[in-house]
Amino acid sequence: MTDRGCGTGGNQRLDAVLAARYLDFSLPYRTRFASRVPTDVVSRLIDAIVELVARLHLVGFFGGDCSLSNTLFRRDAAALAARLVDTETAGQHPALTEGQRAHDLDLAEEWLAGERLDLVAARTLQAELDPAAVVGEVRRRQGRLRDALTGEEVLDADDAYCIPERIRRLAVGYDVSALELVRTGGGTRLRMRTQVLEPGHHRWAQHMQTGRDVQENQARRLLNDLDAHRARLQQQTGARVSQAVAASRWLADVPEPTLATVPAHLRHTLEPAELCHRVLDHRWFLSEALGAAVGTAAPVRSSVEVVLPYIPDERHLLAAAGAGGEPLAPMPGGPAKRLLRRSAAGSPPRSAEGQRRAPPRRACQAA
Amino acid sequence: MPVRERGISCHVVGLVTLEGALHALKELPDPQAEREARLLRQLAADGEPAMGRSAS
């Protein structure tokens, strides 16, 4: 269409136009911070780039020149969300090697340091902020994020109950897309692959796999249990178990016997998914107290004794409140605490009931 | 159709309003345009944080 050049003396033929829909509310940093970049924003810009690069690397995408100029920024509560807009130098691979990742980070650091120098020269950034400090900072933050997302752990076969805790440590907005236990000479290796989730992902995935329509956080919890169940099945059979088979087995092994075992007068106090979630919570407490996996049958029986009777009947709660019924009673710790101590004889809980860590609920309630 | 040039790209980027929506236009050699469009489409289809639907 035109003969405008690109570093070739102005004689390069340009014969195509790439058109892309511009994203509402997304702005280049030069527009978003036209007059002056606040000092605290610099750190958030870098965080956004680090997050962007981490996401791209997880799916085998080499950016080539991830930088402020090749990124649009959109407000995301207190943070900034970065989006890649230029893929001239990018490449898609099945997976990135360590060398490719390191090279991409080198390029990002160089670009960011240069752009920081530009900002200082243009007096839009305070001069006392050392542009060179960004070099190394990107890699440090990227390393921390990546460790949290992709760390592999060597577990003994008996330590599989730790899987929910490992999943719990994932950063906000991420979840496990693949979880497998691989037998090695030195033990069993837990391998996790992480993906970034869109809002409502868990709810949709749970519905697709099990036909159950549940709330997002319930779905997240149940899907995590399904993943862990699949890993256990693969370990037991020594063969790959498909997601569909795993979902079917999980339904038959966990929620269905749980709901069948709970007496009718307790089963109707909570929605089925919430009831399963409470039993899974209780199972996790029991597993942690015993330092071993406890299966499903024992936690269900125990929940019927010491957990579910103390949960207010939510189906009738509003009606009861309207009729001047009793206020919500706090969850009792006493019976569960006694049971844990009894069950864990010889292997006491690591800390007092009230000080125990929260059960392995996904850490993105506010996502 | 008014096109505003923005940014410091190797290939100049223009912004234009098409059917009520803002679009970014970039001139570049054919093979490069096709490659970039393919990558952007793939990232968008995978739900990754890249510029949305694109066409060359």
PDB file of all heavy atoms in Angstrom, chain A residues 260-276:
ATOM      1  N   ALA A 260     -25.145 -40.136  49.898  1.00  0.00           N
ATOM      2  CA  ALA A 260     -25.954 -41.302  50.255  1.00  0.00           C
ATOM      3  C   ALA A 260     -25.793 -41.655  51.735  1.00  0.00           C
ATOM      4  O   ALA A 260     -26.696 -42.214  52.352  1.00  0.00           O
ATOM      5  CB  ALA A 260     -25.551 -42.495  49.388  1.00  0.00           C
ATOM      6  N   THR A 261     -24.630 -41.329  52.298  1.00  0.00           N
ATOM      7  CA  THR A 261     -24.348 -41.713  53.680  1.00  0.00           C
ATOM      8  C   THR A 261     -24.949 -40.737  54.684  1.00  0.00           C
ATOM      9  O   THR A 261     -25.326 -41.116  55.788  1.00  0.00           O
ATOM     10  CB  THR A 261     -22.807 -41.784  53.900  1.00  0.00           C
ATOM     11  OG1 THR A 261     -22.254 -42.651  52.922  1.00  0.00           O
ATOM     12  CG2 THR A 261     -22.467 -42.289  55.289  1.00  0.00           C
ATOM     13  N   VAL A 262     -25.006 -39.466  54.300  1.00  0.00           N
ATOM     14  CA  VAL A 262     -25.511 -38.456  55.234  1.00  0.00           C
ATOM     15  C   VAL A 262     -27.019 -38.663  55.426  1.00  0.00           C
ATOM     16  O   VAL A 262     -27.756 -38.730  54.441  1.00  0.00           O
ATOM     17  CB  VAL A 262     -25.227 -37.038  54.700  1.00  0.00           C
ATOM     18  CG1 VAL A 262     -25.868 -35.981  55.597  1.00  0.00           C
ATOM     19  CG2 VAL A 262     -23.727 -36.812  54.591  1.00  0.00           C
ATOM     20  N   PRO A 263     -27.487 -38.759  56.669  1.00  0.00           N
ATOM     21  CA  PRO A 263     -28.919 -38.968  56.893  1.00  0.00           C
ATOM     22  C   PRO A 263     -29.751 -37.821  56.329  1.00  0.00           C
ATOM     23  O   PRO A 263     -29.281 -36.679  56.236  1.00  0.00           O
ATOM     24  CB  PRO A 263     -29.031 -39.005  58.425  1.00  0.00           C
ATOM     25  CG  PRO A 263     -27.648 -39.143  58.944  1.00  0.00           C
ATOM     26  CD  PRO A 263     -26.709 -38.671  57.893  1.00  0.00           C
ATOM     27  N   ALA A 264     -30.972 -38.152  55.955  1.00  0.00           N
ATOM     28  CA  ALA A 264     -31.830 -37.184  55.260  1.00  0.00           C
ATOM     29  C   ALA A 264     -32.002 -35.892  56.056  1.00  0.00           C
ATOM     30  O   ALA A 264     -31.975 -34.799  55.490  1.00  0.00           O
ATOM     31  CB  ALA A 264     -33.182 -37.813  54.979  1.00  0.00           C
ATOM     32  N   HIS A 265     -32.132 -35.980  57.369  1.00  0.00           N
ATOM     33  CA  HIS A 265     -32.410 -34.764  58.139  1.00  0.00           C
ATOM     34  C   HIS A 265     -31.208 -33.819  58.147  1.00  0.00           C
ATOM     35  O   HIS A 265     -31.345 -32.625  58.374  1.00  0.00           O
ATOM     36  CB  HIS A 265     -32.824 -35.123  59.574  1.00  0.00           C
ATOM     37  CG  HIS A 265     -31.706 -35.640  60.423  1.00  0.00           C
ATOM     38  ND1 HIS A 265     -31.231 -36.932  60.325  1.00  0.00           N
ATOM     39  CD2 HIS A 265     -30.962 -35.034  61.378  1.00  0.00           C
ATOM     40  CE1 HIS A 265     -30.249 -37.098  61.184  1.00  0.00           C
ATOM     41  NE2 HIS A 265     -30.062 -35.970  61.840  1.00  0.00           N
ATOM     42  N   LEU A 266     -29.990 -34.336  57.889  1.00  0.00           N
ATOM     43  CA  LEU A 266     -28.806 -33.470  57.788  1.00  0.00           C
ATOM     44  C   LEU A 266     -28.540 -33.077  56.334  1.00  0.00           C
ATOM     45  O   LEU A 266     -27.974 -32.027  56.063  1.00  0.00           O
ATOM     46  CB  LEU A 266     -27.574 -34.185  58.351  1.00  0.00           C
ATOM     47  CG  LEU A 266     -27.603 -34.470  59.847  1.00  0.00           C
ATOM     48  CD1 LEU A 266     -26.385 -35.309  60.238  1.00  0.00           C
ATOM     49  CD2 LEU A 266     -27.610 -33.156  60.642  1.00  0.00           C
ATOM     50  N   ARG A 267     -28.946 -33.951  55.421  1.00  0.00           N
ATOM     51  CA  ARG A 267     -28.625 -33.725  54.012  1.00  0.00           C
ATOM     52  C   ARG A 267     -29.345 -32.499  53.469  1.00  0.00           C
ATOM     53  O   ARG A 267     -28.873 -31.850  52.550  1.00  0.00           O
ATOM     54  CB  ARG A 267     -29.021 -34.968  53.205  1.00  0.00           C
ATOM     55  CG  ARG A 267     -28.403 -35.009  51.828  1.00  0.00           C
ATOM     56  CD  ARG A 267     -28.482 -36.389  51.227  1.00  0.00           C
ATOM     57  NE  ARG A 267     -29.844 -36.856  51.053  1.00  0.00           N
ATOM     58  CZ  ARG A 267     -30.322 -37.998  51.536  1.00  0.00           C
ATOM     59  NH1 ARG A 267     -29.541 -38.784  52.257  1.00  0.00           N
ATOM     60  NH2 ARG A 267     -31.565 -38.369  51.327  1.00  0.00           N
ATOM     61  N   HIS A 268     -30.473 -32.164  54.040  1.00  0.00           N
ATOM     62  CA  HIS A 268     -31.271 -31.082  53.474  1.00  0.00           C
ATOM     63  C   HIS A 268     -30.955 -29.716  54.076  1.00  0.00           C
ATOM     64  O   HIS A 268     -31.589 -28.732  53.741  1.00  0.00           O
ATOM     65  CB  HIS A 268     -32.759 -31.396  53.637  1.00  0.00           C
ATOM     66  CG  HIS A 268     -33.162 -32.609  52.867  1.00  0.00           C
ATOM     67  ND1 HIS A 268     -32.972 -32.713  51.510  1.00  0.00           N
ATOM     68  CD2 HIS A 268     -33.696 -33.783  53.254  1.00  0.00           C
ATOM     69  CE1 HIS A 268     -33.386 -33.902  51.100  1.00  0.00           C
ATOM     70  NE2 HIS A 268     -33.827 -34.571  52.143  1.00  0.00           N
ATOM     71  N   THR A 269     -29.983 -29.663  54.974  1.00  0.00           N
ATOM     72  CA  THR A 269     -29.674 -28.371  55.577  1.00  0.00           C
ATOM     73  C   THR A 269     -28.798 -27.513  54.675  1.00  0.00           C
ATOM     74  O   THR A 269     -28.746 -26.301  54.827  1.00  0.00           O
ATOM     75  CB  THR A 269     -28.958 -28.555  56.923  1.00  0.00           C
ATOM     76  OG1 THR A 269     -27.775 -29.320  56.700  1.00  0.00           O
ATOM     77  CG2 THR A 269     -29.858 -29.266  57.919  1.00  0.00           C
ATOM     78  N   LEU A 270     -28.064 -28.141  53.770  1.00  0.00           N
ATOM     79  CA  LEU A 270     -27.174 -27.415  52.856  1.00  0.00           C
ATOM     80  C   LEU A 270     -27.409 -27.911  51.444  1.00  0.00           C
ATOM     81  O   LEU A 270     -27.889 -29.025  51.239  1.00  0.00           O
ATOM     82  CB  LEU A 270     -25.699 -27.668  53.218  1.00  0.00           C
ATOM     83  CG  LEU A 270     -25.189 -27.147  54.552  1.00  0.00           C
ATOM     84  CD1 LEU A 270     -23.784 -27.693  54.796  1.00  0.00           C
ATOM     85  CD2 LEU A 270     -25.164 -25.625  54.556  1.00  0.00           C
ATOM     86  N   GLU A 271     -27.016 -27.081  50.452  1.00  0.00           N
ATOM     87  CA  GLU A 271     -27.047 -27.554  49.076  1.00  0.00           C
ATOM     88  C   GLU A 271     -26.068 -28.717  48.950  1.00  0.00           C
ATOM     89  O   GLU A 271     -25.049 -28.757  49.655  1.00  0.00           O
ATOM     90  CB  GLU A 271     -26.608 -26.439  48.125  1.00  0.00           C
ATOM     91  CG  GLU A 271     -27.628 -25.343  47.969  1.00  0.00           C
ATOM     92  CD  GLU A 271     -27.125 -24.306  47.002  1.00  0.00           C
ATOM     93  OE1 GLU A 271     -26.135 -23.633  47.315  1.00  0.00           O
ATOM     94  OE2 GLU A 271     -27.708 -24.190  45.926  1.00  0.00           O
ATOM     95  N   PRO A 272     -26.332 -29.663  48.043  1.00  0.00           N
ATOM     96  CA  PRO A 272     -25.449 -30.833  47.929  1.00  0.00           C
ATOM     97  C   PRO A 272     -23.973 -30.467  47.741  1.00  0.00           C
ATOM     98  O   PRO A 272     -23.102 -31.065  48.383  1.00  0.00           O
ATOM     99  CB  PRO A 272     -25.994 -31.563  46.693  1.00  0.00           C
ATOM    100  CG  PRO A 272     -27.435 -31.171  46.633  1.00  0.00           C
ATOM    101  CD  PRO A 272     -27.507 -29.768  47.160  1.00  0.00           C
ATOM    102  N   ALA A 273     -23.691 -29.484  46.879  1.00  0.00           N
ATOM    103  CA  ALA A 273     -22.287 -29.133  46.631  1.00  0.00           C
ATOM    104  C   ALA A 273     -21.642 -28.552  47.888  1.00  0.00           C
ATOM    105  O   ALA A 273     -20.472 -28.811  48.188  1.00  0.00           O
ATOM    106  CB  ALA A 273     -22.187 -28.138  45.489  1.00  0.00           C
ATOM    107  N   GLU A 274     -22.399 -27.756  48.643  1.00  0.00           N
ATOM    108  CA  GLU A 274     -21.855 -27.168  49.854  1.00  0.00           C
ATOM    109  C   GLU A 274     -21.623 -28.252  50.902  1.00  0.00           C
ATOM    110  O   GLU A 274     -20.639 -28.223  51.641  1.00  0.00           O
ATOM    111  CB  GLU A 274     -22.809 -26.091  50.378  1.00  0.00           C
ATOM    112  CG  GLU A 274     -22.315 -25.345  51.602  1.00  0.00           C
ATOM    113  CD  GLU A 274     -21.065 -24.519  51.328  1.00  0.00           C
ATOM    114  OE1 GLU A 274     -20.797 -24.219  50.157  1.00  0.00           O
ATOM    115  OE2 GLU A 274     -20.352 -24.210  52.308  1.00  0.00           O
ATOM    116  N   LEU A 275     -22.521 -29.215  50.940  1.00  0.00           N
ATOM    117  CA  LEU A 275     -22.367 -30.305  51.893  1.00  0.00           C
ATOM    118  C   LEU A 275     -21.098 -31.105  51.572  1.00  0.00           C
ATOM    119  O   LEU A 275     -20.309 -31.434  52.466  1.00  0.00           O
ATOM    120  CB  LEU A 275     -23.610 -31.188  51.821  1.00  0.00           C
ATOM    121  CG  LEU A 275     -23.802 -32.162  52.974  1.00  0.00           C
ATOM    122  CD1 LEU A 275     -25.286 -32.232  53.336  1.00  0.00           C
ATOM    123  CD2 LEU A 275     -23.309 -33.535  52.610  1.00  0.00           C
ATOM    124  N   CYS A 276     -20.896 -31.402  50.276  1.00  0.00           N
ATOM    125  CA  CYS A 276     -19.664 -32.108  49.876  1.00  0.00           C
ATOM    126  C   CYS A 276     -18.441 -31.289  50.254  1.00  0.00           C
ATOM    127  O   CYS A 276     -17.428 -31.824  50.736  1.00  0.00           O
ATOM    128  CB  CYS A 276     -19.654 -32.359  48.373  1.00  0.00           C
ATOM    129  SG  CYS A 276     -20.798 -33.623  47.864  1.00  0.00           S
TER     130      CYS A 276
END
